[in-house]
């Protein structure tokens, strides 16, 4: 029984997300063939070697030829130039999607290049790890994660087909408008990443505490920040440059609240601290009940240490 | 072959750390008997039921009688009152230690109550999970984690014996002075926790993004913060009230750096962002090489989802 949803899928950019899509489409037989393009020859070679692409091309224009689905999986600021490059090579009736972490800026950059007769269905799988590149992907990355689609003017038939692809890869698909997407992600992803990068940066700059001490004693909380702060720098630079307003808004609120807690520490106001720390526990319970994290202590890391 | 290091160990406070010590001492036969005290009857019953204590007592004074090692495992601000309560009941030659996350304040509160002929060896195992209480402990919590001892005026023989206990439970033991300890922990633990609590609080207060959205889409980074922010509120209140100066210092530095990155976003200074995000990757590599975290993507959570 074939569940193939697209005959030919072209992955443009062959990093963590694209390679995971390639693995997933092959594992669950969702595409007739998967082809790809990446700027670096090393990455293209790795994609063939790892086996999530059947064929790779030196240019994006060649890669998208005859593809029923084109997936833009490059950093957000690279999306516009890629769209300009492929516009005249897209197959009539094809669907173009993307996996960028920001939606308004991607739509502004890409939509003007989408020709008549091609559907553009922006998307964002809320999945990832701290690892990057063509060797970081795996088929189950999207399982039980959410993929947000921002259909805009795309034909329902194209949206429905892409929805089935993501569902086939294990994701829960929901639709959202672009502005709301960018605001939600500023809270659940962009600001937390900026904060994690900052905390790791502070530790890196300290003179009185050595780097070796920070590394050895990181298990007390800090190491969770370093995981987030190990994500791809180019991807994250582009996120902050393109989701500027929402990130600055959430960051402003974060600083306000941090000042409240800072003042409570300075004034030795234990009640404010205790009340604040008690309320935040409820969200964690919600996340575990929604199946979006494990209840195992320390993310289950500790179990891995048992003999 | 017996490896018993103490005849009788009294655990005062029966939460995550004490219960893990109890399990570990039993598993590796490090103590002749383990007795305990907790304020709540429910907790005392749980300790017997789970089996990490051989006997429990209604008062700390009764529990420490005849104990060779007394472990204070209560929130930092409760240490002083407990020390006052047990001072006249300690066995001559006994050792008192603690597991508090702050050392200067604990020493100030506890040391005046330690009688002649009893050694006080303050300690801090850098281990924990987001779970609390007598049912949260497990024997391998300390394996490959660091335990910092702050010996002060204790006799070397007492320090050496406690060191062997921690090593027997799997920890790497190091010595440090109290002020340096508090500064190191402000970086690796206290400030990261405050920041995580704040970020979760911001999400909790937002009107435009629903709590259900935050919970569903948390896998994009936020959920790691919620794990840290699910820790015990009383313990953390006490940490911030008692390690005030060091935490405020690191928090001040954190805000300075965050302002730099906020400005870079506002000015669309991609180079500053990219450079910053690139430097922070090195610390993560160091932590993995030092065996203080797993290199598995997403802390290995994703593997748990595979069929």
């Amino acid at each position: 029984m074939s569940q193939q949803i697209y005959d030919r899928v072209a992955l443009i950019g062959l990093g963590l997300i694209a390679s995971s899509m390639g693995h997933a489409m092959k594992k669950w037989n969702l595409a007739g063939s998967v082809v790809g393009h990446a700027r670096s020859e090393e990455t293209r070679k790795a994609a063939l070697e790892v086996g999530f692409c059947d064929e790779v091309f030196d240019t994006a224009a060649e890669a998208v030829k005859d593809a029923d689905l084109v997936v833009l999986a490059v950093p957000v600021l690279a999306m516009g130039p890629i769209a300009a490059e492929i516009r005249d090579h897209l197959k009539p009736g094809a669907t173009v999607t993307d996996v960028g972490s920001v939606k308004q800026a991607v739509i502004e950059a890409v939509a003007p290049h989408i020709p008549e007769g091609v559907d553009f269905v922006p998307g964002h799988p809320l999945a990832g790890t701290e690892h990057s590149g063509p060797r970081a992907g795996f088929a189950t990355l999207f399982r039980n994660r959410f993929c947000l689609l921002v259909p805009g003017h795309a034909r329902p038939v194209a949206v429905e087909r892409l929805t089935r692809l993501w569902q086939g890869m294990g994701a829960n698909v929901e639709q959202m408008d672009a502005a709301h997407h960018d605001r939600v992600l500023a809270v659940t992803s962009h600001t937390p990443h900026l904060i994690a990068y900052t905390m790791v940066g502070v530790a890196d700059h300290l003179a009185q505490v050595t780097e070796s001490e920070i590394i050895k004693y990181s298990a007390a909380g800090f190491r969770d920040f370093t995981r987030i702060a190990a994500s791809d720098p180019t991807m994250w630079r582009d996120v902050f440059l393109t989701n500027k307003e929402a990130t600055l808004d959430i960051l402003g609120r974060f600083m306000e609240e941090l000042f409240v807690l800072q003042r409570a520490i300075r004034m030795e106001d234990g009640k404010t601290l205790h009340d604040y720390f008690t309320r935040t526990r409820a969200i964690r319970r919600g996340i575990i009940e929604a199946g979006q994290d494990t209840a195992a202590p320390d993310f289950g890391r500790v179990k891995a240490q048992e003999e």
Side-chain angles (χ1 to χ4, degrees), chain A residues 33-277:
Chain A
S33 67
V34 177
V35 305
H37 160 74
R39 230 170 22 173
S40 123
E41 193 187 341
E42 198 187 326
T43 302
R44 295 195 299 268
K45 276 187 181 162
L48 291 178
E49 198 187 304
V50 176
F52 66 85
C53 276
D54 301 306
E55 211 178 339
V56 294
F57 295 91
D58 291 357
T59 67
E62 292 168 275
V64 304
K65 202 178 163 236
D66 298 325
D68 305 286
L69 177 69
V70 173
V71 181
L72 306 181
V74 295
V76 170
L77 286 173
M79 298 268 186
I82 287 280
E85 198 182 325
I86 62 173
R87 64 184 297 168
D88 297 330
H89 306 273
L90 293 166
K91 179 178 163 182
T95 294
V96 174
T97 188
D98 78 295
V99 297
S101 307
V102 174
K103 294 274 64 79
Q104 291 179 107
V106 167
I107 292 168
E108 278 168 35
V110 172
H113 298 294
I114 302 296
E116 278 291 311
V118 169
D119 288 294
F120 179 38
V121 187
H124 181 200
L126 307 190
T129 76
E130 68 275 28
H131 298 296
S132 324
R135 297 179 194 278
F138 52 95
T140 55
L141 178 64
F142 309 110
R143 180 175 298 170
N144 197 31
R145 296 282 85 86
F146 284 87
C147 180
L148 301 177
L149 297 183
V150 182
H153 305 296
R155 286 174 305 152
V157 63
V159 178
E160 189 268 334
R161 198 171 171 195
L162 183 61
T163 299
R164 279 190 290 129
L165 177 70
W166 278 110
Q167 288 169 342
M169 295 189 292
N172 306 315
V173 179
E174 303 212 340
Q175 295 187 15
M176 198 177 270
D177 77 61
H180 191 64
H181 168 279
D182 289 357
R183 170 162 286 278
V184 169
L185 269 289
V187 185
T188 59
S189 177
H190 306 169
T191 310
H193 272 80
L194 193 74
I195 289 165
Y197 276 119
T198 306
M199 186 64 228
V200 177
V202 168
D204 196 28
H205 291 167
L206 281 178
Q208 298 125 308
V209 178
T210 68
E211 185 165 312
S212 142
E213 286 176 321
I214 285 163
I215 286 170
K216 280 159 65 183
Y217 310 138
S218 65
F222 182 74
R223 63 177 173 176
D224 288 9
F225 283 68
T226 66
R227 186 190 78 78
I228 297 180
S231 304
D232 184 61
T234 304
M235 171 190 156
W236 284 100
R237 176 199 63 196
D238 287 8
V239 165
F240 296 117
L241 294 178
T242 56
N243 198 19
K244 177 176 157 176
E245 297 309 328
T247 305
L248 289 177
D249 174 32
I250 300 300
L251 203 49
R253 291 162 189 261
F254 171 82
M255 284 178 174
E256 281 169 26
E257 305 242 351
L258 193 55
F259 280 127
V260 170
L261 294 179
Q262 186 185 33
R263 181 174 180 280
I265 293 173
R266 204 181 293 282
M267 308 291 281
E268 299 180 5
D269 174 0
K271 187 175 181 311
T272 294
L273 294 172
H274 193 273
D275 288 352
Y276 203 98
F277 299 164

